[in-house]
Amino acid sequence: MPEPETGKPDAPAQPAHPHTATLKRLEQSSGSLAAQAIARMDETLPWYRAMPPENRSWIGLVAQAGIAAFTEWFRRPDAPQAISTDVFGTAPRELTRAITLRQTVEMVRTTIEVMESAIDEVAAPGDESVLREALLVYAREIAFATAQVYAQAAEARGAWDARLESLVVNAVLSGEADEGAVSRAAALGWNSPEHVCVVLGTAPDGDSELTVEAIRRAARHAKLQVLTGVLGDRLVVIAGGRNDPLAVAKSLIGPFAQGPVVAGPVVPDLLAATRSAQAAAAGLKACTAWPDAPRPVLADDLLPERAIASDPSAREQLVEEIYRPLEEAGAALLETLSVYLEQASSLEGAARMLFVHPNTVRYRLRRVTDVTGWSPSDVRSAFTLRIALILGRLADGDPQL
């Protein structure tokens, strides 16, 4: 009896491969070619011999997958194929961290050389040039695939590093820096320099990644370690490696937008950088009260403006570093400084009010400079000293201030 019809058309027959004999010989030789490639790597690549067994086994799988992918490529050269998935998908993502791009190129080159040297043996008679041309095209594609794999890995690492850096910068600025922030910074290459300061200013318009990269270039030129980020409209830079915050700010000022740039005081480490960041932030806020402030300016040079703007740390610093030392040095210094400032910085006027010789006033004022580091004869310093005297008297009257 005749077979009943199923109603389904016959599947179209696959066209025969134009080089069937070469394809079959290539399939049969793939295992030995992979073994030869691994043996060649072990012979010629010192870094491969020095690797732990686990990584060497993964490299062996990549070499085998590369030869298998070439076989499939030769079978169907016109079919769309994801070479990077076929070859590098066999290895874990961590392999891109363990093996550099240069080492991967050497591995691919060695494998291609082994395959190229075997063309005369693998190819059927008359197919040598066809197989050689296919291998050249495949080598180009595998090179592009290698670049793609490492580019994607670098992009992923870059995105993760940017997130880590943003977390560290935000923790320092918000006063939440802890050992976790230190660990994240270490993962970013922060080597715990002895001198750390924070520089704050306005971020320029445009791509924040370009701004961050510009800061890094400036830091490399100045031999500084930096952690940086754009938070809102602020450009924040945590810099380490130099004990001069003003010099640090000057070396990094290029990428900042127009407007004030304030450098916080130097602190010993990243955990203490919150203090520098808070001083710089308070200085940036108070900078509008000093239109002629230099750019960049130290947060400590803005102590009077910060104190008037209700910065408690600035008030405490002015009292503890200026008023108390003068108080301990003797009532004569406090009285002389107060009268001198009230007399519009006139030596003769202060001398008349104090019933002493002008040279006595001059001597006492030099002592004020020695004790506090601020010179009463300088207009800006005189303003700072006046604010410190006011705050000290208020603190004596009300200890809570």
PDB file of all heavy atoms in Angstrom, residues 223-242:
ATOM      1  N   LYS A 223      51.375  64.993  40.369  1.00  0.00           N
ATOM      2  CA  LYS A 223      51.786  63.864  41.218  1.00  0.00           C
ATOM      3  C   LYS A 223      50.955  63.801  42.502  1.00  0.00           C
ATOM      4  O   LYS A 223      51.481  63.659  43.615  1.00  0.00           O
ATOM      5  CB  LYS A 223      53.277  63.939  41.532  1.00  0.00           C
ATOM      6  CG  LYS A 223      54.168  63.760  40.317  1.00  0.00           C
ATOM      7  CD  LYS A 223      55.635  63.831  40.679  1.00  0.00           C
ATOM      8  CE  LYS A 223      56.525  63.498  39.477  1.00  0.00           C
ATOM      9  NZ  LYS A 223      56.280  64.343  38.308  1.00  0.00           N
ATOM     10  N   LEU A 224      49.648  63.908  42.338  1.00  0.00           N
ATOM     11  CA  LEU A 224      48.705  63.832  43.448  1.00  0.00           C
ATOM     12  C   LEU A 224      47.802  62.617  43.266  1.00  0.00           C
ATOM     13  O   LEU A 224      47.503  62.216  42.147  1.00  0.00           O
ATOM     14  CB  LEU A 224      47.833  65.092  43.517  1.00  0.00           C
ATOM     15  CG  LEU A 224      48.521  66.412  43.839  1.00  0.00           C
ATOM     16  CD1 LEU A 224      47.552  67.568  43.603  1.00  0.00           C
ATOM     17  CD2 LEU A 224      49.009  66.423  45.280  1.00  0.00           C
ATOM     18  N   GLN A 225      47.362  62.060  44.376  1.00  0.00           N
ATOM     19  CA  GLN A 225      46.290  61.071  44.331  1.00  0.00           C
ATOM     20  C   GLN A 225      44.964  61.806  44.506  1.00  0.00           C
ATOM     21  O   GLN A 225      44.866  62.699  45.355  1.00  0.00           O
ATOM     22  CB  GLN A 225      46.450  60.040  45.448  1.00  0.00           C
ATOM     23  CG  GLN A 225      47.650  59.135  45.301  1.00  0.00           C
ATOM     24  CD  GLN A 225      47.646  58.050  46.359  1.00  0.00           C
ATOM     25  OE1 GLN A 225      46.670  57.343  46.537  1.00  0.00           O
ATOM     26  NE2 GLN A 225      48.765  57.923  47.067  1.00  0.00           N
ATOM     27  N   VAL A 226      43.961  61.450  43.746  1.00  0.00           N
ATOM     28  CA  VAL A 226      42.673  62.136  43.876  1.00  0.00           C
ATOM     29  C   VAL A 226      41.521  61.143  43.829  1.00  0.00           C
ATOM     30  O   VAL A 226      41.583  60.103  43.183  1.00  0.00           O
ATOM     31  CB  VAL A 226      42.467  63.202  42.769  1.00  0.00           C
ATOM     32  CG1 VAL A 226      43.457  64.332  42.900  1.00  0.00           C
ATOM     33  CG2 VAL A 226      42.505  62.581  41.384  1.00  0.00           C
ATOM     34  N   LEU A 227      40.479  61.511  44.538  1.00  0.00           N
ATOM     35  CA  LEU A 227      39.150  60.930  44.403  1.00  0.00           C
ATOM     36  C   LEU A 227      38.241  62.103  44.093  1.00  0.00           C
ATOM     37  O   LEU A 227      38.255  63.104  44.819  1.00  0.00           O
ATOM     38  CB  LEU A 227      38.717  60.243  45.697  1.00  0.00           C
ATOM     39  CG  LEU A 227      39.574  59.060  46.153  1.00  0.00           C
ATOM     40  CD1 LEU A 227      39.239  58.676  47.591  1.00  0.00           C
ATOM     41  CD2 LEU A 227      39.364  57.871  45.232  1.00  0.00           C
ATOM     42  N   THR A 228      37.477  62.013  43.047  1.00  0.00           N
ATOM     43  CA  THR A 228      36.740  63.195  42.607  1.00  0.00           C
ATOM     44  C   THR A 228      35.377  62.821  42.076  1.00  0.00           C
ATOM     45  O   THR A 228      35.109  61.664  41.722  1.00  0.00           O
ATOM     46  CB  THR A 228      37.545  63.949  41.526  1.00  0.00           C
ATOM     47  OG1 THR A 228      36.839  65.144  41.161  1.00  0.00           O
ATOM     48  CG2 THR A 228      37.755  63.089  40.292  1.00  0.00           C
ATOM     49  N   GLY A 229      34.506  63.801  42.026  1.00  0.00           N
ATOM     50  CA  GLY A 229      33.166  63.581  41.501  1.00  0.00           C
ATOM     51  C   GLY A 229      32.404  64.886  41.432  1.00  0.00           C
ATOM     52  O   GLY A 229      32.769  65.885  42.067  1.00  0.00           O
ATOM     53  N   VAL A 230      31.347  64.873  40.645  1.00  0.00           N
ATOM     54  CA  VAL A 230      30.453  66.015  40.529  1.00  0.00           C
ATOM     55  C   VAL A 230      29.181  65.682  41.287  1.00  0.00           C
ATOM     56  O   VAL A 230      28.463  64.738  40.937  1.00  0.00           O
ATOM     57  CB  VAL A 230      30.137  66.336  39.057  1.00  0.00           C
ATOM     58  CG1 VAL A 230      29.137  67.467  38.960  1.00  0.00           C
ATOM     59  CG2 VAL A 230      31.410  66.699  38.309  1.00  0.00           C
ATOM     60  N   LEU A 231      28.907  66.433  42.346  1.00  0.00           N
ATOM     61  CA  LEU A 231      27.702  66.235  43.153  1.00  0.00           C
ATOM     62  C   LEU A 231      26.829  67.466  43.005  1.00  0.00           C
ATOM     63  O   LEU A 231      27.120  68.526  43.554  1.00  0.00           O
ATOM     64  CB  LEU A 231      28.069  66.019  44.624  1.00  0.00           C
ATOM     65  CG  LEU A 231      29.015  64.844  44.927  1.00  0.00           C
ATOM     66  CD1 LEU A 231      29.261  64.726  46.422  1.00  0.00           C
ATOM     67  CD2 LEU A 231      28.440  63.547  44.394  1.00  0.00           C
ATOM     68  N   GLY A 232      25.758  67.320  42.227  1.00  0.00           N
ATOM     69  CA  GLY A 232      24.925  68.483  41.948  1.00  0.00           C
ATOM     70  C   GLY A 232      25.688  69.469  41.092  1.00  0.00           C
ATOM     71  O   GLY A 232      26.187  69.127  40.014  1.00  0.00           O
ATOM     72  N   ASP A 233      25.805  70.702  41.581  1.00  0.00           N
ATOM     73  CA  ASP A 233      26.572  71.703  40.845  1.00  0.00           C
ATOM     74  C   ASP A 233      27.971  71.887  41.412  1.00  0.00           C
ATOM     75  O   ASP A 233      28.688  72.801  41.018  1.00  0.00           O
ATOM     76  CB  ASP A 233      25.833  73.048  40.862  1.00  0.00           C
ATOM     77  CG  ASP A 233      25.656  73.610  42.265  1.00  0.00           C
ATOM     78  OD1 ASP A 233      25.859  72.842  43.237  1.00  0.00           O
ATOM     79  OD2 ASP A 233      25.315  74.795  42.405  1.00  0.00           O
ATOM     80  N   ARG A 234      28.369  71.010  42.330  1.00  0.00           N
ATOM     81  CA  ARG A 234      29.688  71.115  42.959  1.00  0.00           C
ATOM     82  C   ARG A 234      30.654  70.110  42.374  1.00  0.00           C
ATOM     83  O   ARG A 234      30.303  68.958  42.130  1.00  0.00           O
ATOM     84  CB  ARG A 234      29.586  70.887  44.467  1.00  0.00           C
ATOM     85  CG  ARG A 234      28.948  72.019  45.252  1.00  0.00           C
ATOM     86  CD  ARG A 234      28.999  71.686  46.730  1.00  0.00           C
ATOM     87  NE  ARG A 234      28.445  72.760  47.541  1.00  0.00           N
ATOM     88  CZ  ARG A 234      28.367  72.719  48.869  1.00  0.00           C
ATOM     89  NH1 ARG A 234      28.822  71.644  49.506  1.00  0.00           N
ATOM     90  NH2 ARG A 234      27.852  73.722  49.542  1.00  0.00           N
ATOM     91  N   LEU A 235      31.872  70.566  42.173  1.00  0.00           N
ATOM     92  CA  LEU A 235      32.973  69.683  41.807  1.00  0.00           C
ATOM     93  C   LEU A 235      33.797  69.462  43.070  1.00  0.00           C
ATOM     94  O   LEU A 235      34.306  70.415  43.668  1.00  0.00           O
ATOM     95  CB  LEU A 235      33.824  70.318  40.712  1.00  0.00           C
ATOM     96  CG  LEU A 235      35.084  69.558  40.281  1.00  0.00           C
ATOM     97  CD1 LEU A 235      34.767  68.126  39.884  1.00  0.00           C
ATOM     98  CD2 LEU A 235      35.776  70.287  39.139  1.00  0.00           C
ATOM     99  N   VAL A 236      33.892  68.215  43.492  1.00  0.00           N
ATOM    100  CA  VAL A 236      34.572  67.851  44.736  1.00  0.00           C
ATOM    101  C   VAL A 236      35.834  67.072  44.401  1.00  0.00           C
ATOM    102  O   VAL A 236      35.793  66.119  43.618  1.00  0.00           O
ATOM    103  CB  VAL A 236      33.657  66.992  45.636  1.00  0.00           C
ATOM    104  CG1 VAL A 236      34.323  66.726  46.979  1.00  0.00           C
ATOM    105  CG2 VAL A 236      32.299  67.655  45.821  1.00  0.00           C
ATOM    106  N   VAL A 237      36.947  67.469  45.002  1.00  0.00           N
ATOM    107  CA  VAL A 237      38.205  66.760  44.803  1.00  0.00           C
ATOM    108  C   VAL A 237      38.826  66.484  46.162  1.00  0.00           C
ATOM    109  O   VAL A 237      39.072  67.397  46.944  1.00  0.00           O
ATOM    110  CB  VAL A 237      39.203  67.574  43.950  1.00  0.00           C
ATOM    111  CG1 VAL A 237      40.465  66.762  43.714  1.00  0.00           C
ATOM    112  CG2 VAL A 237      38.585  67.982  42.626  1.00  0.00           C
ATOM    113  N   ILE A 238      39.042  65.204  46.444  1.00  0.00           N
ATOM    114  CA  ILE A 238      39.798  64.790  47.630  1.00  0.00           C
ATOM    115  C   ILE A 238      41.205  64.481  47.146  1.00  0.00           C
ATOM    116  O   ILE A 238      41.406  63.548  46.365  1.00  0.00           O
ATOM    117  CB  ILE A 238      39.172  63.558  48.285  1.00  0.00           C
ATOM    118  CG1 ILE A 238      37.698  63.805  48.618  1.00  0.00           C
ATOM    119  CG2 ILE A 238      39.939  63.169  49.545  1.00  0.00           C
ATOM    120  CD1 ILE A 238      36.943  62.554  49.010  1.00  0.00           C
ATOM    121  N   ALA A 239      42.153  65.282  47.574  1.00  0.00           N
ATOM    122  CA  ALA A 239      43.522  65.162  47.065  1.00  0.00           C
ATOM    123  C   ALA A 239      44.466  64.749  48.177  1.00  0.00           C
ATOM    124  O   ALA A 239      44.340  65.210  49.317  1.00  0.00           O
ATOM    125  CB  ALA A 239      43.973  66.495  46.453  1.00  0.00           C
ATOM    126  N   GLY A 240      45.404  63.882  47.844  1.00  0.00           N
ATOM    127  CA  GLY A 240      46.389  63.436  48.817  1.00  0.00           C
ATOM    128  C   GLY A 240      47.785  63.457  48.250  1.00  0.00           C
ATOM    129  O   GLY A 240      47.981  63.284  47.044  1.00  0.00           O
ATOM    130  N   GLY A 241      48.752  63.688  49.129  1.00  0.00           N
ATOM    131  CA  GLY A 241      50.136  63.618  48.693  1.00  0.00           C
ATOM    132  C   GLY A 241      50.932  64.892  48.849  1.00  0.00           C
ATOM    133  O   GLY A 241      52.130  64.907  48.543  1.00  0.00           O
ATOM    134  N   ARG A 242      50.303  65.980  49.345  1.00  0.00           N
ATOM    135  CA  ARG A 242      51.046  67.225  49.510  1.00  0.00           C
ATOM    136  C   ARG A 242      50.523  67.957  50.736  1.00  0.00           C
ATOM    137  O   ARG A 242      49.318  67.980  50.993  1.00  0.00           O
ATOM    138  CB  ARG A 242      50.917  68.101  48.266  1.00  0.00           C
ATOM    139  CG  ARG A 242      51.903  69.264  48.249  1.00  0.00           C
ATOM    140  CD  ARG A 242      51.795  70.087  46.982  1.00  0.00           C
ATOM    141  NE  ARG A 242      52.049  69.307  45.784  1.00  0.00           N
ATOM    142  CZ  ARG A 242      51.979  69.813  44.552  1.00  0.00           C
ATOM    143  NH1 ARG A 242      51.644  71.092  44.379  1.00  0.00           N
ATOM    144  NH2 ARG A 242      52.224  69.060  43.509  1.00  0.00           N
TER     145      ARG A 242
END
